Amino acid sequence: MKQLTVLFVAICLATGAYSQKNKPAMKLNAGIVTDRLKESKDFYTKVLGFGVTFENEFYLLLHTPGKTAEISFLLPDHPSQQPLFQKPFPGQGMYLTIEVEDVDKLYEEIKKKEVPVIIAIRDEPWGDRHFAIKDPNGVGIDIVKYTAQE
């Protein structure tokens, strides 16, 4: 699962620094407010090979293999957080896209781990080959190998 690149379309989890002439670099880390920290950690580390960057009793920060992107999880209603960051994610309306070099290999590995596949592996007319699973928070995860259109 080399060079995993996580791209949020709805939330746009960037895979690296963003820079333009005369603008500072930027890095984006999307977070999910959830009471499923343990389940999220197990899913992302055991199913997708993410690593743990930081963890405490109310916050979990994970990174992709190669450390090119991060995703975080935060317990709802935690007294250390402002109200904006306290309401739990409702489990829909968000998805992640993870780009991989060998989507077929990862598909077989995930099936062996008995992770439910929501969308079976398929080729799209625009060139993508992909499949989809769902994380413990209800986030759809589209795992894709991009192919340039001819």
Side-chain angles (χ1 to χ4, degrees):
M1 293 194 314
K2 284 185 175 180
Q3 299 177 356
L4 274 182
T5 305
V6 178
L7 302 172
F8 281 94
V9 174
I11 297 197
C12 302
L13 176 60
T15 60
Y18 170 81
S19 63
Q20 289 181 350
K21 193 174 187 175
N22 300 323
K23 295 207 178 195
M26 237 185 243
K27 183 176 180 183
L28 179 66
N29 163 5
I32 298 170
V33 180
T34 178
D35 60 358
R36 297 180 181 100
L37 265 60
K38 181 186 180 327
E39 296 92 332
S40 298
K41 178 182 178 182
D42 289 347
F43 178 84
Y44 283 89
T45 59
K46 294 175 182 175
V47 174
L48 298 172
F50 282 44
V52 177
T53 302
F54 177 81
E55 178 179 19
N56 65 21
E57 66 278 357
F58 66 91
Y59 180 78
L60 173 64
L61 178 62
L62 303 175
H63 60 265
T64 58
K67 299 182 180 181
T68 57
E70 294 177 318
I71 186 169
S72 61
F73 302 90
L74 176 67
L75 280 178
D77 302 314
H78 197 273
S80 70
Q81 300 301 307
Q82 294 297 314
L84 179 63
F85 306 113
Q86 290 197 1
K87 297 232 184 278
F89 174 68
Q92 54 186 327
M94 177 182 169
Y95 68 93
L96 308 176
T97 298
I98 299 176
E99 183 180 354
V100 297
E101 290 181 17
D102 191 342
V103 70
D104 291 284
K105 179 180 176 186
L106 186 54
Y107 181 71
E108 292 305 321
E109 289 174 8
I110 285 176
K111 282 178 42 181
K112 285 180 187 171
K113 293 175 183 176
E114 300 183 359
V115 175
V117 174
I118 308 303
I119 300 172
I121 197 158
R122 56 190 278 167
D123 294 308
E124 298 294 355
W126 52 87
D128 294 356
R129 182 163 177 77
H130 69 118
F131 67 97
I133 57 178
K134 194 183 289 189
D135 90 349
N137 305 292
V139 176
I141 301 175
D142 188 30
I143 301 175
V144 64
K145 167 69 175 165
Y146 292 121
T147 305
Q149 286 184 311
E150 295 179 17

